[in-house]
Amino acid sequence: MGNEMYDVLIIGSGPAGMGAAIYAVRAGLKAAVLDRSPVSGGQVLSTYEVDNYLGFPGISGGDLSEAFRQHADVLGVQFFTADVQGVEDCSGEQTRYIIHTDKVDFQTRTIIIATGASHSLLGAPGERELAGMGVSYCATCDGAFYRKSTVAVVGGGDVAVEDAVFLAGICEKVYLIHRRNQLRAAESLQRKLLSLENVEIIWDSEVEEILGSEMVEGIRIHNKKNSGKDTLDVEGVFIAVGIVPDTSLLNDLVEMDEKGYIIADESCATSRKGIFAAGDIRKKPMRQIITAVADGANAVHSVQDFLNH
Ligand code: NAP
């Protein structure tokens, strides 16, 4: 373990972590960002177009992440590529945490958890077996393999609709399979989707099984309203049925809700002194890039308050 004691260590380099990092450095705190990936960005990296981040209309997720990183580099933010395996509370009179990673251990007075969330599984038969062989969770990463083919997207949120719009520009035909008759995605995304001739929305339907022996060959769907069943021939299935928080490294250190999101208010303070939660990992009503960045700033403000008292 290094001898250095950090004021704050930020775990995760998505928008929340990067927002926290620039505020921490500008506040003169001894700070660093830990991320298992050398490429910062988190979920934003797999977004092909971001249309609601102030000042950057229509920017790609990759470019926005790169802009965040450049900003952090200009300000001298320190980054470590390390996989965090656990957090140990060694507090005495003062808070002191040890962050265990696959490389070295770090000591810090406070922590900002900004580990975000990762994609949920659909849970349909065939999903695990055909993962990477036609089943994908990232349209921007894998979409190019399906040029001129027919694919299905499952889900009705922002990600599903963004993915369907993106894939419509590459594929011959895109089915969007949604379990209800109303999309959850932002109105502007829905309008874009509805304007596309090669997208067919299949309402009130669930995927019963993903079919194929070595590669995806189709999906069997079930209409919940009329109990009808159908088989669609598709070469790819893009699953966008929500996210699950990445809190495994915390064990029971902080209070979480029943879904595993960390309970913390706008101040980002968790139930444990010196640990703050920012971005998608936090229980909150709106998970957007802009709210994640704001959390990062708020969390640093709270860290400063905490260290000064
Ligand atoms: P989401 O908003 O939770 O939507 C998940 C969708 O999947 C919902 O339509 C849901 O259906 C459906 N679903 C869930 N479980 C299912 C199952 N087992 N079978 C079939 N369908 C299922 O998730 P998301 O689209 O991944 O977005 C995650 C968060 O990131 C959201 O808060 C979103 O607003 C945010 N986001 C922000 C931006 C941005 O800031 N630009 C971009 C993308 C995403 P129901 O509608 O019936 O529940």
Side-chain angles (χ1 to χ4, degrees):
M1 182 165 63
N3 289 329
E4 282 180 300
M5 172 67 95
Y6 285 85
D7 293 321
V8 59
L9 283 172
I10 298 155
I11 309 178
S13 70
M18 297 299 258
I22 65 162
Y23 272 76
V25 166
R26 292 190 76 249
L29 298 175
K30 182 165 175 52
V33 178
L34 311 180
D35 198 304
R36 65 166 81 100
S37 167
V39 185
S40 45
Q43 289 174 82
V44 182
L45 280 175
S46 51
T47 305
Y48 92 100
E49 186 183 289
V50 178
D51 215 13
N52 56 1
Y53 190 75
L54 189 67
F56 296 89
I59 192 168
S60 75
D63 287 349
L64 187 59
S65 302
E66 182 58 31
F68 288 165
R69 178 61 191 243
Q70 278 174 10
H71 190 166
D73 286 340
V74 165
L75 293 177
V77 173
Q78 199 178 10
F79 288 91
F80 292 104
T81 303
D83 196 352
V84 175
Q85 327 246 279
V87 173
E88 196 182 337
D89 187 347
C90 303
S91 302
E93 267 179 32
Q94 286 198 325
T95 53
R96 175 173 162 259
Y97 291 98
I98 298 179
I99 298 182
H100 299 285
T101 80
D102 59 341
K103 303 220 170 71
V104 289
D105 293 345
F106 295 85
Q107 291 187 78
T108 183
R109 290 282 321 278
T110 67
I111 300 174
I112 296 176
I113 310 282
T115 44
S118 45
H119 59 75
S120 300
L121 297 179
L122 179 62
E127 179 181 12
R128 281 185 193 279
E129 295 81 348
L130 293 165
M133 289 172 314
V135 172
S136 168
Y137 301 87
C138 178
T140 44
C141 319
D142 300 330
F145 298 124
Y146 300 92
R147 203 163 288 284
K148 305 269 181 243
S149 22
T150 297
V151 299
V153 175
V154 188
D158 285 337
V159 172
V161 173
E162 278 176 0
D163 284 359
V165 170
F166 172 70
L167 290 164
I170 298 177
C171 305
E172 179 86 20
K173 165 132 192 167
V174 177
Y175 292 106
L176 180 74
I177 320 288
H178 185 36
R179 65 182 179 185
R180 292 187 296 131
N181 63 0
Q182 199 181 11
L183 296 168
R184 188 183 284 279
E187 278 297 321
S188 57
L189 282 172
Q190 294 195 34
R191 275 198 300 278
K192 237 185 233 178
L193 182 80
L194 295 171
S195 72
L196 299 168
E197 284 179 359
N198 60 341
V199 175
E200 184 181 339
I201 306 178
I202 302 193
W203 301 106
D204 299 311
S205 296
E206 285 180 336
V207 174
E208 271 191 352
E209 188 174 357
I210 301 175
L211 309 166
S213 47
E214 289 185 358
M215 297 295 287
V216 166
E217 290 163 22
I219 49 174
R220 197 166 55 239
I221 57 171
H222 162 241
N223 185 301
K224 290 163 65 187
K225 283 250 165 89
N226 62 21
S227 300
K229 292 186 191 276
D230 200 357
T231 299
L232 303 175
D233 294 335
V234 296
E235 287 162 57
V237 184
F238 291 85
I239 295 170
V241 293
I243 52 176
V244 280
D246 282 341
T247 40
S248 51
L249 58 97
L250 284 172
N251 290 324
D252 289 329
L253 270 183
V254 297
E255 237 177 87
M256 299 176 204
D257 72 2
E258 68 292 347
K259 291 183 178 159
Y261 290 101
I262 298 174
I263 296 174
D265 63 14
E266 287 281 293
S267 74
C268 298
T270 69
S271 57
R272 189 165 292 253
K273 278 185 184 167
I275 299 189
F276 301 83
D280 281 7
I281 197 82
R282 180 167 82 82
K283 180 179 170 140
K284 59 180 183 170
M286 199 184 185
R287 293 196 172 83
Q288 300 282 298
I289 301 169
I290 206 157
T291 60
V293 172
D295 270 9
N298 283 326
V300 170
H301 182 72
S302 302
V303 163
Q304 283 180 285
D305 262 2
F306 179 79
L307 292 174
N308 290 335
H309 286 102

